[in-house]
Amino acid sequence: MKHLVSAILVISFAIGGCAAFEAPSGHKRNSGDGEEGVDVGNIRTESMIPNTRVVMSHPNWVETKKGNSLILQNRLLQSGDPSSKLSTMKCEAVDIDNTAPTFFDLKEYVKKTHPNQEFQSYDFGDFYGLRFNATANTEIAIAQIYFVRTSEARHILSCELNLNKYAEGLEIGEEILRSSRIKYLGVEKLGEIDRTIELDHENKIEKGRSVYFVNGHCYEEDENGNENFDCLLDSVGISYGNSWSEDSLEVGLAGSATGRFLDLGKVEYDDVQIKGEYLYARGVKTELSDIYTVFSTKGPMERKDEVFLQEGHTYLLRTQEWPNEDLLVKIHVDKLESMKRVSLTYKILAEIPKPTLRKLVDEMNTYTRENEMTRNHGAVTLYSRQIWGDNVSATFNFEFGTRDNYDITYNTWDILFESNERVSTFSFPGSWQDRGTIVEYTGEKAITEVVKEDFPTLMSAVNHGDVPVKVGSKYLMIGSTYDNKVTFGAFEVVEIAANNAWVRLNWRRVALEPLWHFQDWILRNVDDSVKNLSLEFGSDKSISFHLALEKTYDELVDEEWSETLDFGYYSDGLNLDVGTRYFPGESGFLKYDGALEDLDSTNLPTEGFSENVSSVQVGEKYIVVIETLWERTRAIIEIVGVTSERIEFRYRLLAVDQTNPPYYRVP
């Protein structure tokens, strides 16, 4: 048996990404009228490597699957031909003990597994690679190849090649290799119609409507300026005029919602369509497959979540907010009044069905739970948010040991890497409600030796950032976010790119503990008299009220952010909610039968509270405790009257405490 010399190939895929596919010479794609089209995920002659979503296109090869292996063989051999002329590819997934393996991890892997071999760069499409060849002639290619994909599941994929020139085996085998991609699972969305909308420039038209949700076919606000809450929940928004000086259209306005535009120029809008199994656009010179790429470490890539509109142009848009949405949409600019208003016609072309998205996210979460959370240390490469235009690949979560899984982490992170060509920083990217900080560690211990006592206190974790990035330096992170836990994480900088585009870290999860009452409270003076109040519900039949400041949510300004008491009138009557996530059972609502004047802050119950109550009746009274990591409000309320239009209640403020030091945005 011939000795196989190793070749290494790294492929960095985006979630749901798709690399361009070109049919091998002499073999027609089965695309009907879509000869100029680009695959949207349903090529008949493709095979998937087991336990992955990596697919390879092979118009004339036979597929066999044995265990975790995919075997492809050239089937053009005639009866009686010698087996030595057979071309074969065997590919399978191999795990590596790392977090989101990258090109750097690949180099280390090659050095360990093939210490005596020289390897060369072998890049194609969006993929990185290193390649060895066992042969140096034009008749046969013998090699072993490894793939790695970073954004969805952390496998190295091993492929053994034995390609023969006979029956185009050598040529087609290389083209099969270059066709590798993550399968896009979208299907044509039937029954869709063209819709025309108008958007007002966000920064130039006062009280205009600048935000629209394509999947829900609705504006962010109705004609009266009230938010369409039902539309906002499961749909990715587009916004016109986010730039003060440009006619920009942006996709992905918050959280994990994201997307990508592609400018097709002045092509006929009606010529952009799904034909059979392909996305088709007559006369387009742009590589349509670019619409599938959301993040690639091949960059820094051109930012595509924002385009600058031109009248008469047609655009492709892919929206993503897994597991709720993944759409392909075409958009035409009908009329553009620069810096004022734009008229757009759009149509949804394809979607990944929600059950499929849910399955993909479940697979991603299973991988994190079984492979990433089980490690308490590892290595990770973060890519600058400014340079790559991607938030998830610039962040890391210690609890789950993941860089890319925004679902299981609820899009909350412990490290954020930001940079430009002159400076780079780390920061704790929590929201204003969270406690957390990153500090440089100047002690003599290695990150494998630090203990909780070496960390700053959670009480002092006021400043969320920024600390400069320095090669060789060690850092400590302490933070508490959405899940009532406190995370202690240590990391060190191994390497940083010359242009600050990426940074490579070694990390360790030192401890993960339940949140405790760490606050040092300062009692504020309050007016504890009984007050009467009547509030009108909004269009969504709800209203939020800040007890300590005696303001509704709409009356609060940035410096007054805090938890509020929320009233809602729904099908089951009046509901109360505080939305608190901290110290379950110790904050929220507790039914009370005494007089409002009989309680004070010294004799309040300390357990048995519920975060929300429903079907509240007139005359009922509740003790209310709203505790965040920054402040604590204690009060008592009595419901006096309620209709579908308004709520009337009496309340008495018992105490308001704030931490010391306070958060700088809380009064």
Side-chain angles (χ1 to χ4, degrees):
M1 181 176 177
K2 296 181 179 179
H3 176 68
L4 296 182
V5 181
S6 300
I8 303 292
L9 173 66
V10 182
I11 299 185
S12 300
F13 291 91
I15 293 178
C18 180
F21 168 65
E22 295 295 337
S25 175
H27 301 284
K28 186 176 181 179
R29 292 177 294 185
N30 188 5
S31 58
D33 295 328
E35 281 297 308
E36 299 173 37
V38 173
D39 167 38
V40 293
N42 300 307
I43 295 177
R44 296 176 186 174
T45 52
E46 67 180 12
S47 292
M48 185 177 294
I49 300 174
N51 301 320
T52 77
R53 280 205 301 120
V54 175
V55 292
M56 295 177 171
S57 301
H58 54 95
N60 294 285
W61 290 42
V62 175
E63 170 191 326
T64 304
K65 290 185 178 179
K66 294 183 179 180
N68 292 330
S69 299
L70 166 69
I71 300 173
L72 301 177
Q73 292 181 316
N74 189 328
R75 64 182 177 185
L76 293 182
L77 292 174
Q78 302 299 317
S79 177
D81 285 341
S83 60
S84 61
K85 292 186 177 181
L86 188 69
S87 291
T88 303
M89 301 178 66
K90 179 183 177 182
C91 301
E92 61 186 10
V94 179
D95 279 326
I96 182 174
D97 185 17
N98 210 323
T99 302
T102 66
F103 190 60
F104 311 101
D105 306 302
L106 187 69
K107 288 181 178 179
E108 294 180 5
Y109 183 84
V110 171
K111 291 177 182 178
K112 292 179 181 178
T113 56
H114 310 285
N116 299 320
Q117 299 295 342
E118 295 289 335
F119 52 90
Q120 297 178 343
S121 294
Y122 180 68
D123 298 349
F124 59 90
D126 288 331
F127 313 145
Y128 286 117
L130 296 172
R131 180 167 182 140
F132 293 105
N133 289 313
T135 54
N137 60 63
T138 60
E139 302 294 324
I140 190 170
I142 301 175
Q144 182 173 334
I145 300 174
Y146 295 90
F147 302 84
V148 66
R149 52 197 176 107
T150 63
S151 295
E152 174 195 8
R154 287 70 168 175
H155 298 293
I156 286 180
L157 290 93
S158 170
C159 289
E160 298 178 3
L161 302 185
N162 194 325
L163 306 179
N164 194 296
K165 186 177 180 181
Y166 182 83
E168 299 184 279
L170 185 60
E171 175 187 358
I172 296 175
E174 294 289 348
E175 289 177 340
I176 292 174
L177 179 62
R178 290 193 294 271
S179 75
S180 301
R181 66 200 182 282
I182 292 290
K183 183 177 178 65
Y184 175 68
L185 300 178
V187 296
E188 182 178 5
K189 192 168 185 183
L190 302 175
E192 286 296 311
I193 62 174
D194 293 330
R195 291 177 167 86
T196 299
I197 61 172
E198 285 191 351
L199 296 177
D200 302 309
H201 197 287
E202 180 178 346
N203 287 304
K204 300 297 181 180
I205 303 298
E206 187 175 355
K207 296 183 179 180
R209 293 198 292 180
S210 62
V211 178
Y212 188 81
F213 294 86
V214 174
N215 200 23
H217 308 301
C218 59
Y219 293 92
E220 181 182 35
E221 298 178 344
D222 61 24
E223 294 179 353
N224 298 320
N226 299 311
E227 287 189 310
N228 289 322
F229 286 100
D230 292 340
C231 184
L232 308 183
L233 295 178
D234 296 333
S235 188
V236 179
I238 58 174
S239 172
Y240 168 57
N242 190 47
S243 170
W244 281 90
S245 58
E246 301 284 354
D247 291 304
S248 63
L249 190 65
E250 186 174 350
V251 60
L253 307 178
S256 59
T258 185
R260 189 166 176 84
F261 287 103
L262 194 62
D263 187 352
L264 303 181
K266 290 190 174 182
V267 302
E268 290 294 329
Y269 171 80
D270 291 338
D271 282 345
V272 181
Q273 55 189 287
I274 302 294
K275 284 194 174 185
E277 299 164 345
Y278 290 86
L279 174 62
Y280 175 85
R282 185 187 302 276
V284 174
K285 296 181 179 180
T286 304
E287 189 69 64
L288 294 183
S289 60
D290 189 39
I291 194 66
Y292 301 113
T293 302
V294 176
F295 174 75
S296 169
T297 56
K298 197 70 174 179
M301 69 178 187
E302 180 183 356
R303 183 180 177 185
K304 292 294 182 65
D305 60 353
E306 183 179 30
V307 291
F308 299 103
L309 299 176
Q310 297 184 60
E311 187 170 311
H313 278 221
T314 298
Y315 300 85
L316 279 176
L317 167 65
R318 182 184 182 187
T319 67
Q320 284 187 293
E321 206 281 306
W322 285 21
N324 299 311
E325 178 178 325
D326 195 317
L327 304 177
L328 289 181
V329 185
K330 64 175 179 178
I331 300 174
H332 184 264
V333 181
D334 303 328
K335 184 177 180 181
L336 178 63
E337 300 176 61
S338 185
M339 306 298 292
K340 183 178 181 182
R341 186 172 291 107
V342 63
S343 176
L344 305 172
T345 296
Y346 75 92
K347 181 180 180 181
I348 298 175
L349 299 174
E351 68 173 351
I352 299 181
K354 282 191 176 183
T356 302
L357 289 177
R358 183 69 264 172
K359 181 181 178 181
L360 294 173
V361 170
D362 288 344
E363 291 173 354
M364 181 171 65
N365 291 344
T366 297
Y367 181 86
T368 293
R369 283 190 294 267
E370 295 180 355
N371 296 276
E372 294 182 315
M373 288 184 67
T374 55
R375 297 193 293 261
N376 65 3
H377 68 279
V380 66
T381 299
L382 303 182
Y383 296 86
S384 170
R385 182 168 65 174
Q386 285 83 355
I387 296 177
W388 258 268
D390 183 77
N391 184 66
V392 174
S393 298
T395 51
F396 182 76
N397 181 291
F398 280 100
E399 177 182 352
F400 295 96
T402 188
R403 187 195 68 187
D404 299 307
N405 192 334
Y406 55 80
D407 184 79
I408 202 169
T409 62
Y410 292 91
N411 200 37
T412 59
W413 308 98
D414 300 317
I415 305 174
L416 170 64
F417 172 57
E418 298 180 285
S419 71
N420 54 41
E421 292 184 355
R422 293 173 296 152
V423 64
S424 54
T425 61
F426 295 123
S427 62
F428 174 79
S431 74
W432 66 270
Q433 297 170 326
D434 304 323
R435 282 268 184 171
T437 193
I438 296 175
V439 298
E440 184 178 357
Y441 174 65
T442 58
E444 297 181 355
K445 296 180 181 178
I447 64 170
T448 57
E449 300 172 333
V450 294
V451 294
K452 292 187 299 181
E453 289 71 23
D454 296 315
F455 284 71
T457 65
L458 197 58
M459 191 65 217
S460 67
V462 178
N463 181 16
H464 287 189
D466 303 312
V467 292
V469 177
K470 295 184 287 186
V471 174
S473 290
K474 294 168 286 188
Y475 301 84
L476 303 178
M477 188 289 307
I478 183 172
S480 180
T481 54
Y482 72 96
D483 57 358
N484 297 328
K485 296 177 183 177
V486 180
T487 305
F488 299 79
F491 62 97
E492 61 184 347
V493 178
V494 177
E495 187 178 6
I496 188 168
N499 63 350
N500 295 329
W502 51 259
V503 63
R504 179 167 169 76
L505 312 175
N506 287 333
W507 63 271
R508 174 178 168 239
R509 183 173 59 243
V510 177
L512 184 66
E513 297 185 348
L515 180 64
W516 64 89
H517 289 281
F518 63 89
Q519 300 98 326
D520 293 330
W521 296 114
I522 295 179
L523 183 64
R524 289 176 51 183
N525 294 324
V526 297
D527 177 0
D528 63 354
S529 62
V530 177
K531 300 179 179 64
N532 295 277
L533 196 62
S534 177
L535 299 175
E536 185 176 349
F537 291 128
S539 60
D540 62 341
K541 301 302 178 184
S542 69
I543 186 72
S544 297
F545 184 71
H546 194 297
L547 289 167
L549 297 175
E550 298 184 290
K551 293 182 179 181
T552 65
Y553 180 85
D554 291 338
E555 295 172 323
L556 297 175
V557 296
D558 287 347
E559 289 73 24
E560 297 172 344
W561 281 112
S562 184
E563 294 287 353
T564 55
L565 171 60
D566 302 328
F567 300 94
Y569 190 84
Y570 308 115
S571 59
D572 57 350
L574 178 65
N575 293 345
L576 304 179
D577 197 319
V578 293
T580 182
R581 304 171 299 178
Y582 312 102
F583 312 114
E586 300 179 30
S587 58
F589 300 93
L590 185 63
K591 201 167 184 180
Y592 174 68
D593 294 325
L596 269 62
E597 295 80 4
D598 292 344
L599 278 178
D600 60 47
S601 60
T602 63
N603 61 355
L604 290 179
T606 58
E607 58 185 20
F609 288 80
S610 300
E611 292 184 10
N612 53 73
V613 289
S614 58
S615 302
V616 177
Q617 303 299 310
V618 172
E620 290 184 345
K621 289 170 278 191
Y622 290 89
I623 300 170
V624 184
V625 176
I626 306 176
E627 181 176 344
T628 72
L629 303 185
W630 302 94
E631 65 181 21
R632 179 176 59 183
T633 298
R634 287 160 287 174
I636 184 168
I637 65 171
E638 178 183 4
I639 306 303
V640 176
V642 62
T643 69
S644 60
E645 304 297 327
R646 65 175 48 249
I647 172 75
E648 297 182 16
F649 62 99
R650 303 170 66 224
Y651 75 98
R652 177 169 170 249
L653 198 61
L654 302 177
V656 176
D657 308 322
Q658 286 191 322
T659 61
N660 180 32
Y663 183 46
Y664 71 94
R665 289 176 66 185
V666 177

